[in-house]
Amino acid sequence: MLQITLGIITSVGGFLEIGSVTTAVQAGASFQYQLLWAILLGTICLIFLVEMSGRLAAVSKHTIVEATRERFGFPFFFIVLVGMVLVAFLVLVAELGGIGLSLQILTGIGFPWWAIPVSFIVWILMWKGTFSLIENGASLLGLVTLSFAVAAVKLHPEWGGVAHGMLPTFPGDQKAKYWFVAVSILGASISPYLMYFYSSGAIEDEWDESYIPINRFISTFGMSLGGFLSMAVLVVAALVFHPMGIDIQKFEQASLLLTTALPKWGFFLFAMSMLFACLGAALEISLAIAYFFAQGFGWNWSEDLNPARDARFCSTYTIIIMLAAVPLLFGVDPIRVTIMAMALTSATLPLAIVPFLFLMNDPIYLREHRNGWISNTVVAIIVLISFVLAVISIPLEIIGG
Amino acid sequence: MKRFLVISIALVAACKSPTPTEQMDSIQSWLAAAGMVGDAWLRHTTPDKYSRQTLDLTRETLLQLARDLLKAPPHSVDSVALRLVLTRSREHVARMARLIEEKNAPDFARQLDSLRADRRVIKLLFDSIESGQ
């Protein structure tokens, strides 16, 4: 029971990050409730993917990366590695930038000044911390993001309109922007790094087949509650920014999200929510990238090992964190990086998901626990939708400026 | 091939610059956000530094947006009136940022009211552009 509760808390506290918040705020501010369907679709897909990641690890004792390399060979694995690591790196830049921006609005010191201290804190937590500290500690702090749900309820949304937003509709105007934000929401929700992190975590925690029901419960309830939180952000933005005609372009504007519903603490709750959510995500992404390299190249890996015993694994996240700080030092806008990273995530989803679906249907790895037709169909359709939308809307948005 | 490339680049460049409507929406959005920041500061719900910096950012962005819009103002609008009201609202925002430093809430509230009045004028001007298009 304790494990399930902790798992759900971890999923809820760790769900929001700069990508999901930024895209939901932009969607609510520009299109009111019209893009809630994108969060719903992304959350459904994520529930299936996270459940599959845990099941693969529990049954086969392989992480996704190990199984991909073993099943498809190194040349194919290398293509997946390049694509996934590039996108995950951009997301890491965005998350470190998100921490910097949160500190900027709290202290008045510009985010580029925070690039090195923030990267150092992330690195030291990785170097000194254990897997459970990273998994549970940051997520417990991330529970402050529940304030978005409180704000949404306090603002008394029109529930009929919210329900209507769950069904896809065509936009009246700003078509390119509408689809681009939809794609970014899908990219923010269906983050492949979460799958790699989750399956590696299952191996770190030594899951076996007895964990399959727990895994199903945690992924379903945890991700659903996380999805609701993301919807709450969109609903609050729709009620606060949309009526005033504010189209969110900068983090400073988004910082006022909670001040209407929670006047006394709203500003600080937003800043703290973003700070902890981005910190948790930065730790998870750094770990996911290091897992990717270590598992793919057959190095020693475990966040619980002393760094001397998995030196290449630790060197990988050290280098990645250092590199991610560089664009921020030069003042690259983290919000622009976030939006682009989320859209690119959607565009590269097939690269991560298609081989994963093959693995999930392979009797050698999953035996009698292979995917059923429902999970295969749902994931394949959502990934296809995300990919097609990304391929169409990214050039349109770039051309449209 | 070379001609095709030149035409493509020209087309992309032409598409890349935002339309006057988009620029106008952006200006209105930033003015609305400045109003919200002002309200929040008056209610003591945001720190001084954040409010001042956000108003400074608003002023800089408005300057850039106004410059772009006034380079080729739409024909259906009185460009002198537009320039005047955009300059005035930018000045209100700049004064609001200074008044935060001085912690002068009464004058700040007056500037905020003037900004709101200018925003209404800008909206009317922009509506006339949209109806003319």
Side-chain angles (χ1 to χ4, degrees), chain A residues 104-110 174 240-241 244-257 259-260 262-264 266-268 398-401, chain B residues 11-12 14-18 22 25-26 28-30 32-40 43-47 49-50 53-54 57 61 65 116 119:
Chain A
Q104 175 184 303
I105 61 167
L106 283 171
T107 63
I109 300 168
Q174 296 184 292
V240 173
F241 296 133
M244 299 183 77
I246 299 175
D247 177 30
I248 300 297
Q249 290 163 16
K250 293 277 178 186
F251 190 80
E252 288 86 344
Q253 296 170 306
S255 310
L256 298 169
L257 186 67
T259 52
T260 306
L262 309 163
K264 199 170 177 189
F267 178 83
F268 296 99
I398 291 170
I399 290 171
Chain B
L11 268 175
V12 169
C15 293
K16 251 191 110 121
S17 50
E22 285 166 348
D25 286 345
S26 215
Q28 295 200 78
S29 161
W30 277 96
M36 202 173 167
V37 172
D39 275 334
R43 283 185 282 128
H44 306 290
T45 53
T46 49
K49 265 192 181 165
Y50 159 79
Q53 285 181 347
T54 307
L57 176 70
T61 313
L65 286 167
R116 284 214 178 93
R119 208 182 130 211

Side-chain angles (χ1 to χ4, degrees), chain A residues 259-275:
Chain A
T259 52
T260 306
L262 309 163
K264 199 170 177 189
W265 295 102
F267 178 83
F268 296 99
L269 281 172
F270 179 85
M272 298 316 277
S273 295
M274 292 309 294
L275 182 68

